[in-house]
Amino acid sequence: MRNKHLLTILILAVAAVMTGCDPKKVYSHYEHVPQEGWDKPDTLFYEVPPVKEAGTYQEEIGIRTDISFPFQSIALVIAQDIYPKGKHLQTVKNCVLYDETGKERGNGISRFQNVIPLTDIQLEKGDSLRICITHNMRREMMTGISDIGFILTKK
């Protein structure tokens, strides 16, 4: 009987590992935003380690908000440095989080998870990224945001 339970646990653990990992996901990290709000000069930093193979990679921004977020969208400034090339990229991305009727586009009930496609980027083996994200809203302090993430996936 004990061996049967052990075998069941082992099978469930293997299934969880096999279904829980995305082998193409190279990097996924979220930075927490203070509960009192995200101040305009506050920068969030992400350090992507050197990639193991050359190719095209999909970049995405993850945004976690709650029901107190006061706007339909948020404008983010995303600055990237590619090393060792020393190449600098910068873009402003308007991330729409709610539709025209006020319905959230993300998943959740009182807190919402949105993943916004950013761009495709060509990287060589050994390239690494340093990403800096700030908000570009008229209001200095943005409330209702709990986390901002950066996700890199091999295409």
Side-chain angles (χ1 to χ4, degrees), residues 55 59 78-91 119-124 126-132:
E59 296 180 317
I78 300 110
Q80 301 182 61
D81 291 308
I82 304 172
Y83 297 105
K85 295 176 189 172
K87 186 175 182 180
H88 180 78
L89 307 169
Q90 185 165 319
T91 187
T119 188
D120 288 347
I121 188 169
Q122 190 69 33
L123 297 174
E124 299 301 323
D127 282 352
S128 63
L129 296 171
R130 181 164 203 251
I131 296 97
C132 305

Side-chain angles (χ1 to χ4, degrees), residues 22 24-30 46 48 57-63 76 78 80 93 95 113-121 129 131 133 148-155:
D22 181 355
K24 292 186 175 190
K25 190 172 287 185
V26 175
Y27 181 85
S28 178
H29 178 76
Y30 281 77
Y46 306 84
V48 178
Y57 291 81
Q58 167 70 47
E59 296 180 317
E60 298 171 305
I61 301 296
I63 304 172
L76 300 177
I78 300 110
Q80 301 182 61
K93 179 73 174 177
C95 304
Q113 167 78 27
N114 286 274
V115 177
I116 312 291
L118 184 57
T119 188
D120 288 347
I121 188 169
L129 296 171
I131 296 97
I133 300 178
I148 300 290
F150 182 81
I151 302 120
L152 185 69
T153 307
K154 177 98 168 61
K155 284 191 110 177

Side-chain angles (χ1 to χ4, degrees), residues 5-72:
H5 289 297
L6 186 59
L7 181 61
T8 302
I9 291 171
L10 181 62
I11 289 171
L12 290 173
V14 169
V17 168
M18 292 180 74
T19 59
C21 298
D22 181 355
K24 292 186 175 190
K25 190 172 287 185
V26 175
Y27 181 85
S28 178
H29 178 76
Y30 281 77
E31 285 293 324
H32 183 68
V33 175
Q35 187 173 3
E36 58 273 5
W38 185 14
D39 201 3
K40 196 165 193 164
D42 291 343
T43 303
L44 304 173
F45 297 97
Y46 306 84
E47 301 282 342
V48 178
V51 296
K52 294 181 181 171
E53 57 184 282
T56 303
Y57 291 81
Q58 167 70 47
E59 296 180 317
E60 298 171 305
I61 301 296
I63 304 172
R64 295 177 181 152
T65 59
D66 62 34
I67 56 175
S68 68
F69 184 72
F71 299 105
Q72 183 179 357

